[in-house]
Amino acid sequence: MRFKDVFSIIGPSMIGPSSSHTAGAVRIGRVARQALGGMPLEASIRLYGSFAETYRGHGTDVALVGGMLDFATDDEAIPDAFHHAEQAGFNIQLHTEKKPVPHPNTVDLLLRNQAHAISIQGCSIGGGNIEILKVDGFSVKFTAMQPTLLIFHTDRQGMVAEVSGVLRRAGVNIGLMQVVRESRHGQALTVIECDQSPGRVVLGKIGRMESVSKIRVIDLIGEDGGA
């Protein structure tokens, strides 16, 4: 097996005994918070496989909550994440499940605040690395190793070209793009991994496009030891 960088071998700077069960869990939590668009007030956590069996000993539960509170992987407040959540008025429910999942370290998160709700399925694949497999029921696949746009919109002709054009004119290079839709002209999600964060002006232009309901940026780069 080849590793593409030293991070894949030694993992990130982190609090906790396991890069898979702790650092990866923090990152999944942070992705969910950023996909929501801010601080959650409620969260339902469903753990599967190894996460469900060993979460207490490895601190997976506190790591997920710490991520949803926007703690970095090496934040010393992670062990007290439930206390900080309680102080912030953040209500959390945790469940363990036994049904088969794509990866043994898998979690489903449902987050809500006063304005929005989001569901995320993610798995921790080793060394603190993660894969996001579902967003609001849409099957996707991204790692959050690069700034990633989540564009929620109605499927229509020319949408991909318009978004690509805005990014091109702003000098933002697209590393990977996925478009997932419920049906023709139905609800859709476009996921774009970029080489750099697009910035507010670009996000504003995309957000004002016809058929776009909301846009979120997942950007963990340089904030949690992953870059």
Side-chain angles (χ1 to χ4, degrees):
M1 179 178 181
R2 295 184 178 182
F3 297 93
K4 60 184 179 181
D5 52 44
V6 68
F7 174 74
S8 302
I9 302 171
I10 65 174
S13 172
M14 67 179 189
I15 299 293
S18 167
S19 59
S20 293
H21 288 72
T22 311
V26 171
R27 285 182 161 169
I28 295 170
R30 293 190 70 215
V31 167
R33 177 193 172 106
Q34 292 184 7
L36 179 68
M39 175 68 190
L41 295 178
E42 299 178 3
S44 172
I45 302 172
R46 294 189 179 274
L47 301 172
Y48 301 87
S50 179
F51 268 4
E53 294 168 3
T54 66
Y55 73 91
R56 288 189 179 92
H58 284 152
T60 305
D61 52 347
V62 295
L64 287 163
V65 174
M68 289 185 280
L69 290 170
D70 209 27
F71 295 166
T73 55
D74 59 355
D75 196 314
E76 295 182 358
I78 287 174
D80 298 317
F82 276 90
H83 172 69
H84 291 289
E86 183 179 1
Q87 287 188 319
F90 178 17
N91 181 48
I92 300 158
Q93 295 182 343
L94 187 144
H95 312 272
T96 58
E97 302 284 353
K98 293 185 177 180
K99 71 177 184 180
V101 286
H103 190 279
N105 298 333
T106 297
V107 60
D108 284 336
L109 299 175
L110 174 61
L111 277 62
R112 300 180 186 274
N113 59 21
Q114 292 178 338
H116 302 288
I118 196 80
S119 64
I120 296 286
Q121 183 178 86
C123 58
S124 181
I125 60 175
N129 296 295
I130 65 172
E131 287 183 348
I132 304 301
L133 304 178
K134 289 185 180 180
V135 176
D136 270 358
F138 291 101
S139 294
V140 299
K141 189 173 183 179
F142 66 90
T143 65
M145 290 295 288
Q146 303 293 334
T148 303
L149 302 183
L150 304 179
I151 305 170
F152 299 83
H153 61 95
T154 303
D155 177 57
R156 66 173 174 84
Q157 184 177 359
M159 179 69 188
V160 170
E162 289 180 28
V163 171
S164 301
V166 170
L167 294 173
R168 176 182 56 79
R169 288 188 292 273
V172 177
N173 192 49
I174 296 173
L176 182 68
M177 175 182 285
Q178 308 166 60
V179 181
V180 190
R181 62 183 185 176
E182 293 177 346
S183 62
R184 187 178 182 183
H185 305 310
Q187 295 303 303
L189 172 63
T190 295
V191 179
I192 303 176
E193 297 183 32
C194 305
D195 287 349
Q196 64 268 76
S197 185
R200 291 184 178 181
V201 173
V202 172
L203 297 177
K205 290 180 179 179
I206 296 173
R208 291 189 294 271
M209 285 182 179
E210 178 189 352
S211 80
V212 172
S213 57
K214 64 181 177 181
I215 182 169
R216 296 287 185 262
V217 182
I218 310 301
D219 191 0
L220 309 184
I221 305 303
E223 297 180 11
D224 63 357

